[in-house]
């Protein structure tokens, strides 16, 4: 698995950005939103149980990520058509403010090393990527356990200070100073 200090791979994926079939689809690639921080999170499958709870939680914090000059990309190995159908049929996903990327050929999840070897789907992986395209945070959960998007936001805040941040540090707290 790629980890902290590695460069995030190049990619070019179809994405779903609305529930309207006329405007739903766009291409997102490694050059999209250049110069911004990126939060890229993967989930195993659309139309499942844990996944929409995480996706909706990231959606609720999207404005906070944007305030920090970060964009959020959600990714699974489902197609863009499955993403669209799920958004159209799940109340918590209809107004999702970030793109759902379709890694249907499993290229990005394979390059990152987050493809489950047994199930063939993406693990619950989360990456924070800095404006120079370097991975600064990497986390992977088991398929059955949802993650905490508020913790991802906290880590982004800490990374953006470029300081030493103690355990449980929150934005606005004092940072550590080397004596």
């Amino acid at each position: 698995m790629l980890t902290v200090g590695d460069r995030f791979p190049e990619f070019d994926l179809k994405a779903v950005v609305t529930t309207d079939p006329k405007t739903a689809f766009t291409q997102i690639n490694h050059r999209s939103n250049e110069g911004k921080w990126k939060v890229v999170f993967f989930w195993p499958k659309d139309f499942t149980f844990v996944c929409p709870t995480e996706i909706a939680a990231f959606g609720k914090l999207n404005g906070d990520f944007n305030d920090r000059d970060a964009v959020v990309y959600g990714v699974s190995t489902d197609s863009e058509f499955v993403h669209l159908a799920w958004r159209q049929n799940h109340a918590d996903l209809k107004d999702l403010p970030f793109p759902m990327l379709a890694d249907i050929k499993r290229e990005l999840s394979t390059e990152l090393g987050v493809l489950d070897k047994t199930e063939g789907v993406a693990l619950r992986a989360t990456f924070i990527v800095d404006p120079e395209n370097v991975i600064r945070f990497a986390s992977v959960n088991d398929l059955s356990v949802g993650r905490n998007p508020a913790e991802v936001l906290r880590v982004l805040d800490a990374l953006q200070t470029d300081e030493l941040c103690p355990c449980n540090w929150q934005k606005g707290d004092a940072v550590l100073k080397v004596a």
Side-chain angles (χ1 to χ4, degrees), residues 5-109:
D6 292 329
R7 293 196 61 75
F8 198 82
E10 292 185 3
F11 66 93
D12 188 12
L13 299 172
K14 287 185 170 64
V16 175
V17 294
T18 73
T19 57
D20 180 355
K22 294 177 187 151
T23 59
F25 305 113
T26 192
Q27 285 293 125
I28 304 277
N29 65 46
H30 58 282
R31 289 191 180 97
S32 301
N33 296 295
E34 272 188 316
K36 290 189 175 274
W37 288 81
K38 293 174 186 69
V39 174
V40 184
F41 75 99
F42 291 77
W43 65 87
K45 295 178 185 177
D46 292 4
F47 290 98
T48 56
F49 306 101
V50 176
C51 299
T53 65
E54 296 179 303
I55 297 166
F58 271 106
K60 287 177 184 160
L61 291 176
N62 193 68
D64 294 312
F65 285 109
N66 287 339
D67 288 346
R68 286 135 173 102
D69 203 31
V71 295
V72 175
Y73 295 145
V75 188
S76 86
T77 56
D78 293 291
S79 77
E80 67 274 21
F81 300 107
V82 175
H83 287 338
L84 176 60
W86 198 26
R87 283 185 68 156
Q88 290 172 328
N89 290 287
H90 197 293
D92 293 338
L93 305 179
K94 286 184 190 254
D95 296 320
L96 198 62
F98 58 81
M100 299 171 84
L101 282 63
D103 186 23
I104 193 164
K105 295 195 297 186
R106 293 164 168 72
E107 292 170 339
L108 183 57
S109 51

